[in-house]
Amino acid sequence: MSRVAQAKTQYARALKERVTLRRFIPGTTGANRPRFDAEGVRARTVGYEPHELVGAIVQGDRKIIVYADDLIAKGFTLPVTTADQVIVRGKPLSIQAVDDSTRRIDSELIAIELQVRG
């Protein structure tokens, strides 16, 4: 099994939480504006450690690791942006930053790290 396949298998097993990524249709506004939801995406939500609270990361922010293959399978067009939202346990969170570089193997995207607030 290749390194990429092994990593994907490990992430698929380790990410046990289910979240929704939401993208609003560009150019629309209002409470009932059209949107696309990728529901049931495997993820893991963790808080930041005190020593990680630097720069734009503030107390209360969380890190969400999202399994990239789930997003692709659900038809969510990459890249994830700060204009998108994550719904965790029914609560919409705003995306402050997106890291789609750290969790790559041989240039293959395995997972995406999101800094979220809300």
Side-chain angles (χ1 to χ4, degrees):
M1 183 182 289
S2 73
R3 287 180 18 174
V4 171
Q6 285 178 325
K8 286 184 177 191
T9 299
Q10 289 172 339
Y11 273 88
R13 284 188 200 141
L15 302 176
K16 302 211 182 276
E17 186 174 2
R18 298 291 176 152
V19 301
T20 298
L21 262 77
R22 175 170 290 164
R23 176 165 290 155
F24 291 101
I25 306 305
T28 63
T29 60
N32 294 320
R33 63 184 165 164
R35 66 181 190 230
F36 175 79
D37 286 352
E39 298 176 341
V41 176
R42 284 174 276 196
R44 180 170 182 235
T45 304
V46 296
Y48 284 97
E49 297 292 324
H51 69 275
E52 295 178 295
L53 299 179
V54 296
I57 301 172
V58 298
Q59 189 168 355
D61 284 359
R62 290 176 268 176
K63 180 189 312 181
I64 300 181
I65 302 164
V66 178
Y67 189 53
D69 280 1
D70 281 358
L71 286 174
I72 294 164
K74 305 245 180 222
F76 196 92
T77 305
L78 298 178
V80 175
T81 72
T82 56
D84 299 325
Q85 287 184 333
V86 182
I87 314 303
V88 178
R89 295 183 285 288
K91 183 176 181 183
L93 304 172
S94 62
I95 298 173
Q96 302 297 305
V98 178
D99 176 358
D100 66 355
S101 296
T102 300
R103 297 176 186 268
R104 286 181 183 265
I105 296 178
D106 299 334
S107 299
E108 179 85 22
L109 181 61
I110 309 298
I112 303 163
E113 281 189 30
L114 306 173
Q115 175 194 347
V116 301
R117 185 173 294 157

